[in-house]
Amino acid sequence: MSERLRSDLLTKLCVQYPAWMILSVVFISLPDIPIPSTEMYLDHVFAVLFMAIPFLSECWSIIENLREIVEDNLIDFGMIYLRIIEIIKVWRGHG
């Protein structure tokens, strides 16, 4: 493994991800702040968001690596967005 890869991995595993987890624990331990007209609490939403950031970060990294390996448009976010808009229009009856 290259030195850069090892240092990046060490930074992720020993600094960034534990920091997100600690921030999540801090938010979950705060007093419950209800969100009006829902059964959710604001501190819980932030805690889940902070816990999801490392997972989403790794998913994004995997997608970037796959796009570098495969030369064609493996994952084209613009095309995915257009397809979702098209599905929503058809579902609403405007397509």
Side-chain angles (χ1 to χ4, degrees), residues 31-74:
D32 289 342
I33 304 169
I35 299 174
S37 70
T38 65
E39 294 182 13
M40 297 188 306
Y41 296 102
L42 189 61
D43 58 323
H44 293 201
V45 170
F46 278 114
V48 169
L49 179 70
F50 292 147
M51 286 288 261
I53 286 175
F55 172 74
L56 296 174
S57 171
E58 285 304 312
C59 288
W60 190 261
S61 176
I62 291 168
I63 290 171
E64 286 178 345
N65 290 338
L66 286 174
R67 290 181 85 174
E68 288 178 7
I69 293 171
V70 180
E71 294 297 323
D72 61 353
N73 289 334
L74 177 67

